[in-house]
Amino acid sequence: MPQKKFTTTSGIKIREVYTKPPSAMEELPGEFPFTRGIQKDMYRGKPWTMRQYAGFSTAEESNKRYHYLLSQGTMGLSVAFDLPTQIGYDSDHHLAEGEVGKVGVAIDSLQDMEVLFAGIDLQKITSSMTINATAATLLAMYIAMAKKQGADLKLLSGTIQNDILKEYAARGTYIYPPVQSMRLITDVFEYCNNELPKWNTISISGYHIREAGSTAVQELAFTLSNGKAYLKAALKNGLDINLFSKRLSFFFNCHNNFFEEIAKFRAARRMWAHITQELGATDPAAQKLRFHTQTGGSTLTAQQPMNNIVRITNQAMAAVLGGTQSLHTNGYDEAFSLPTEKAAKVALRTQQIIAFESGVTDTVDPLAGSYFIESLTDEIEAAAQLYIDKIDAMGGSVKAIENDYIQQEIAKASYQYQQEIERNDRILVGVNKFIDEKETDIEIFRVEDAIRLQQIEKLKILKQERNNIAVHEALNNLQRAARGNDNLMPYILIAVECYATLGEIADTMRKVFGEY
């Protein structure tokens, strides 16, 4: 009988016993290369930011959920936008039919954004917006809304995902060609550097790369390669790496293999510290990898959905032991739909129990010195570096994406993982082992198609009541700026403040940039 092989999801062989002396024992938390964490006291100082990713239907309905989450102890809001918003279409566009408000909230104009955050003091919370192709426009709406609140823009704190490269590689919600998309991103870097110094201008995302089927090593390698591309683009635009690198953050997935995920996060910090140093960063704050984590959506099963609570807890604990700065825990019912209020509350309580009852936050990097963890950290780093070296040899992430290299590597890994499940080489409880034939009885959250009609009516009234001469002028100025080299953020902000719609702004740039 052949001996069973033990490997991580990335194919790294797991030895029976580890005796290698730990490589990071002499390192201290908060010191270069930050393997053990970016702060000396980590969660002894304060816990991670507990975010809940939420947004559905209309701005009015999402606002109610936000107030509920804040009342339950959520420390930061994380906004999900519907598909039309993500790809620059208003709710009345024919391609928006069937998608309005379904996977997130519909935002057509500044008017919707004002309703979304009604009654919420933007200076007292941090907001994260999962938006990419239209990130500049949604950020402009947030800024315009903050100005109406009388907020000090210098004190606004939050994050926009703004990571278009992973959209080409793994997800698909891009609009413009890569070069023009990169221009918008660096324009946001430059604008926020001057106007919103506390705002994180990009959340370089491995999450969607992993959701598309990559391994942990691929997630790490492709994400850091994208990060290098953004650094180089900003440097090319004359930005100071010691300033703008402080405002970059990362967004990682956390899957089921407990120790592999912890080691992945530790390796990520170490690798990024060296990448930034090699590109000229001398300020330690510019060398630190700060990251948000979300538990693995693709690990959730429709079969026996209550098992997902255990999976999410396992993943959340790994993220905490790996040193995350911010965490979102999925709802146990998300294999069926957006989370119900009950599932969202259980997800938040999961984080609170880990933070305040488990004791894992009492010391910094409690697994440091483990022969297994330190060896696995080294092996994940080495495997990821091989990918990065290949991508560098191609000319960087943009070239690797244009050559379809990253997409093909993810597709191969996804296929292999599915084959392992079908052969029972990897066990999914309730799916290919310990199966229960009873039908699942679970409450499902539904968004009505009538939401689109409500949004269309609001758009119709908005366009009748706004100053359309000012809108026309603002969009013409944006189009001229897009044909030139000016930073586009001020032009987008003026258009937003005139109540130009998201679709009108996106279409204006489509005329100049084209579509990809």
Side-chain angles (χ1 to χ4, degrees), residues 428-447:
L428 292 184
V429 174
V431 177
N432 60 0
K433 198 165 186 178
F434 312 113
I435 297 169
D436 186 348
E437 298 296 342
K438 293 179 183 177
E439 282 194 24
T440 301
D441 183 18
I442 189 169
E443 180 186 359
I444 295 176
F445 186 93
R446 300 188 189 279
V447 176

Side-chain angles (χ1 to χ4, degrees), residues 1-35:
M1 185 175 178
Q3 189 174 4
K4 183 178 178 182
K5 293 180 180 178
F6 292 85
T7 65
T8 70
T9 60
S10 301
I12 295 172
K13 185 179 178 181
I14 304 295
R15 302 196 292 274
E16 185 174 2
V17 176
Y18 285 78
T19 57
K20 178 184 176 182
S23 61
M25 276 300 285
E26 294 181 7
E27 287 184 23
L28 291 173
E31 295 183 6
F32 186 90
F34 312 108
T35 312

Side-chain angles (χ1 to χ4, degrees), residues 231-304:
L231 287 178
K232 289 181 177 180
L235 287 168
K236 188 177 178 182
N237 274 29
L239 299 184
D240 182 351
I241 192 170
N242 282 316
L243 291 178
F244 75 79
S245 185
K246 294 177 187 177
R247 302 269 48 97
L248 306 185
S249 65
F250 287 80
F251 174 23
F252 286 116
N253 210 309
C254 199
H255 267 230
N256 289 331
N257 193 306
F258 188 71
F259 293 111
E260 182 178 37
E261 296 301 310
I262 295 167
K264 178 188 76 181
F265 299 134
R266 300 173 90 250
R269 280 192 293 271
R270 188 158 71 200
M271 295 178 78
W272 186 246
H274 287 295
I275 287 169
T276 53
Q277 186 182 61
E278 287 164 9
L279 289 174
T282 54
D283 186 339
Q287 299 166 340
K288 293 179 179 179
L289 181 144
R290 299 168 299 117
F291 69 99
H292 169 71
T293 309
Q294 182 174 339
T295 55
S298 61
T299 69
L300 303 178
T301 64
Q303 301 91 333
Q304 302 176 31

